[in-house]
Amino acid sequence: MRTVKTLLAGDHFVRNDLLAAALGNIPDVAFEFREVTLPWPLTPYGRVAEVDEASDAEAQLIEALAGVELAVTQMGPFTERVLDAAPDLRFLVVCRGGPVNVNVAAAAERGIAVASTPGRNAVAAAEHAVALTMGALRNLPRLQRTLEHGEWRSDLYAYDECGGELDGSTVGLVGYGAIGQRVARVMLAFGARVLVADPYVEQAPEGIELVELDELLRQADVVSLHARLTDQTRGMIGAQQIAAMPRGAVLVNTARGGLLDYDATVDALESGQLGAAAFDVFPSEPVPAGSRLLTAPNIVMTPHLAGATRQTAHRAGSIAAEAVAAFLNGKDPAGLVRA
């Protein structure tokens, strides 16, 4: 049986014990674990040297990587400096949809393969997007606040005050990856008509209508963003696009804050062009004190927690273990990242 020296650089969400248990299911391999527990999410991530969304722990990783052949992490900052301290490292798995906290080019130069765990939070993120959509449609935060203030607002049953339904509504999904596909299935089950705008999708499955973004915005009662943030998608929904939506429409963003002009969104909420909005992601995180978002009407917000379920953490470990097993058997892991 082969023994593999492995670094587990987990945190307080994707924990080292979960990673160790998942790797322990790989047959015919004995792992010699070395562990570092990173502070996320108790301490927010940020930019570290040349990588993004990482825990500031270069020194910890450098100390732990001596002799290590495999490493599994979620928020570890695998910068060029860290990779220089890992001459024996051959494979690195990042328990995220993409390895933004890894200098992939520097890893490739050193012969280190890098894999991610795409789809690990698709279920959680899709369910959260649906929950936010329903919360915005029915304005649940406002209703809860009335009870917290000792009010019994039966007047909110009035036609001009009450919310809408998904059944019979047109829901537009901007992006049709793993999360968007799950949201689409749920929306269809609720009785909604579902439109999809995604330049990478050539043919939508039965029941889904594939349209251009302009047409989606013109028709959709609910617009939910699920696109990746790229140079092409940054700022893709601004004042012009919001103005093209039906008056009173609902806008939901659980993807990335950079996709949307939030000032234009607040303007539209205040004017009534948007009936409601729901966000799990923001242009600046955490949301700064004094942000207009904090006082905007008809808005539902959560602090970038769409993927935060225990099942996501376990799934990350399982997908990481599958990647390690493939690598050790000389195969390309499903989430292999090309430099």
Side-chain angles (χ1 to χ4, degrees), residues 65 115 331 337:
L65 280 166
K331 301 177 182 178
V337 177

Side-chain angles (χ1 to χ4, degrees), residues 129 133 170-175 187 195 197 213 215-226 237 241-242 244-246 249-254 260 274 276-279:
T133 300
T170 297
V171 176
L173 306 179
V174 181
M187 294 299 179
L195 310 180
L213 178 60
E215 184 66 14
L216 181 150
L217 295 172
R218 188 181 69 79
Q219 295 193 46
D221 303 300
V222 176
V223 174
S224 187
L225 306 185
H226 302 284
I237 305 296
Q241 288 74 27
I242 294 172
M245 296 168 63
V250 174
L251 179 59
V252 181
N253 187 11
T254 56
L260 177 64
L274 285 177
F279 304 126

Side-chain angles (χ1 to χ4, degrees), residues 115-334:
S116 62
T117 56
R120 56 134 196 180
N121 67 349
V123 174
E127 290 183 359
H128 198 82
V130 173
L132 286 180
T133 300
M134 297 179 73
L137 276 170
R138 303 300 295 271
N139 209 343
L140 296 187
R142 179 189 183 191
L143 301 182
Q144 178 166 330
R145 284 194 297 270
T146 65
L147 293 175
E148 291 172 345
H149 294 159
E151 302 169 348
W152 189 262
R153 296 286 304 279
S154 297
D155 60 302
L156 295 180
Y157 216 113
Y159 183 88
D160 289 337
E161 297 288 350
C162 62
E165 301 175 352
L166 285 172
D167 187 16
S169 296
T170 297
V171 176
L173 306 179
V174 181
Y176 196 61
I179 297 170
Q181 290 170 32
R182 287 183 175 273
V183 172
R185 293 200 294 269
V186 174
M187 294 299 179
L188 287 173
F190 270 112
R193 174 192 178 206
V194 177
L195 310 180
V196 166
D198 189 324
Y200 300 102
V201 176
E202 296 181 357
Q203 184 174 356
E206 185 177 355
I208 306 293
E209 300 176 48
L210 191 61
V211 298
E212 295 297 324
L213 178 60
D214 289 349
E215 184 66 14
L216 181 150
L217 295 172
R218 188 181 69 79
Q219 295 193 46
D221 303 300
V222 176
V223 174
S224 187
L225 306 185
H226 302 284
R228 287 192 174 276
L229 182 61
T230 67
D231 290 340
Q232 290 71 39
T233 62
R234 186 177 298 278
M236 67 186 303
I237 305 296
Q240 180 179 348
Q241 288 74 27
I242 294 172
M245 296 168 63
R247 187 168 180 82
V250 174
L251 179 59
V252 181
N253 187 11
T254 56
R256 280 291 184 266
L259 298 172
L260 177 64
D261 183 334
Y262 281 76
D263 280 332
T265 301
V266 173
D267 289 342
L269 286 167
E270 291 176 346
S271 71
Q273 169 59 21
L274 285 177
F279 304 126
D280 185 57
V281 292
F282 303 90
S284 178
E285 297 181 2
V287 177
S291 169
R292 295 176 67 203
L293 288 167
L294 300 177
T295 56
N298 302 334
I299 191 168
V300 183
M301 296 184 289
T302 53
H304 205 154
L305 290 174
T309 66
R310 293 177 179 177
Q311 290 90 337
T312 292
H314 284 277
R315 198 176 295 116
S318 297
I319 298 174
E322 291 172 2
V324 169
F327 178 79
L328 293 177
N329 287 313
K331 301 177 182 178
D332 285 348

